[in-house]
Amino acid sequence: MRIRNRLPWIFFISRRFAKVDSRGRAAASGVLASLGIGAGVAVLIVIISVMNGFQAGYIRSVMEISSFHIRAVQNQDQPQQNEDELLRQIKETPGVLSAVPMYEAQTLAVGKNGRQRSALIRGVPWDMMESDKGFAEQITVSSGFFDIQDEMTCVLGNTLARGLNVRPGDEINLLALSGGEETDLFSGDRKLKVTGIFSCGYADINSSFIFMSLETAGKMLGVDSAHFYGIKLVNSEDDQRCVAVLKNNIPGVDFESWRSYNRSFFGALKIEKNVLMMLSFLIFVVVGVNIFNSMRRMVYEHHEETAVLSALGAQKKEVQLVFLLQGLTTGLYGAVPGLFAGLAICARMKDVFVLFSSLAYKFQYFFYMIFNPQAVYSLRSNSVFLYYAKLPAVVVFSEVASITLFGIVASLAASWFASRNALKLSVAEVLHDE
């Protein structure tokens, strides 16, 4: 109550100190501190938003193409259920969008000139692109067609196709193949015709996946080899509930959600993001040290005024609050503009990176023309900037709020540490020095 009653004069003194320090070195330190906080907030918001978009693309591709929302495998120790009846029970479960049978096996593929690459066979329904909207959204056919209706045809990831040196119309041979007892592990006559080449947002899928029809996969692997069911949900975040319901309604079948199936992958993404945030927060540490030194100088320069305030009855906490208000002002002047700047950059992310790419190209072109004009025709735009321009910036409110508050708290903490000894000198000591 005492502090509340004295807030008017505390605000008055804080404004007077700010006005006195609006020129010279103190003003420059305050402006630099605010600029540092603003830059830190804007940079962190942009970095985290780009990282969110980057990871969201990975996660979406993995869920829609590789792991699906839920994987179901019949327990070999239990009586095997009829496949049609099992699919019917799964599809009738509330929250389930679709369920399809699949095959999966490891292979060693051989392309032109004897080039070999390890790959993952995925047997899917031949009309997967039409029946699964999420799958079709993540797959981009860069060459040929996603046509696996005919037997012994396949579609490859673009990186795998490049490694095998094949294109649509060429043939690949599956030299070695994992599978059960009825699968011929080594063979020289398992030839598949490549009908298309695809790409997606996850490099591992591009470099390893071979899609073929269920009929082709069953012919090569055997009907009981690596057979599982891919389940898509109306809401992928509802996986835990759906797994519990499916396990309760359909005994003898093991259900695994995308979270647990990709646990190591998502864990690595989370660690990467946390480390990046920790490194980025060092910006605020540097700015906090600058504010601390600036505030200590301010406290020392105003030691006469603080001693007089103490003589007039002001308590230490009240005097310290005067300087805390200075730190709060510095933090707000930096964090709020930094917040809006970061959000504006995220909203125009594509334009920003295209601008960076253009500036980098012009900068290189200038020096090429001066030092090596003959090589200027080999100059190309920076592909990294153009790649980043394609990434969506995913802004999460809780993260943006945390970054902004941290910028303000860093300024307040530095001001608090610097002003702890605001009343170290008494009035008598001040008069003695004079």
Side-chain angles (χ1 to χ4, degrees), residues 95-168:
V96 173
L97 182 64
S98 64
V100 294
M102 291 189 179
Y103 288 96
E104 191 171 82
Q106 296 289 335
T107 186
L108 179 64
V110 182
K112 281 185 177 180
N113 305 323
R115 291 192 177 186
Q116 301 178 5
R117 292 292 186 275
S118 60
L120 179 72
I121 289 177
R122 176 63 64 85
V124 298
W126 66 268
D127 61 345
M128 194 71 172
M129 289 288 282
E130 289 75 26
S131 61
D132 192 328
K133 182 179 179 181
F135 182 89
E137 287 177 350
Q138 297 302 313
I139 291 288
T140 301
V141 180
S142 55
S143 182
F145 303 93
F146 198 99
D147 182 11
I148 53 176
Q149 185 173 3
D150 297 334
E151 282 196 4
M152 307 308 290
T153 58
C154 67
V155 177
L156 309 180
N158 59 351
T159 307
L160 177 61
R162 193 180 307 116
L164 296 174
N165 192 27
V166 296
R167 60 186 63 185

Side-chain angles (χ1 to χ4, degrees), residues 308-363:
V308 172
L309 289 174
S310 176
L312 294 174
Q315 294 186 350
K316 180 179 179 180
K317 291 182 179 180
E318 296 170 342
V319 176
Q320 189 176 16
L321 186 57
V322 172
F323 297 103
L324 288 179
L325 289 175
Q326 296 286 323
L328 177 62
T329 302
T330 301
L332 288 174
Y333 283 173
V336 174
L339 168 65
F340 287 107
L343 293 177
I345 293 174
C346 291
R348 304 300 298 270
M349 186 65 67
K350 180 178 179 180
D351 297 335
V352 171
F353 281 112
V354 169
L355 176 62
F356 284 165
S357 177
S358 176
L359 292 176
Y361 176 81
K362 292 178 179 178
F363 184 78

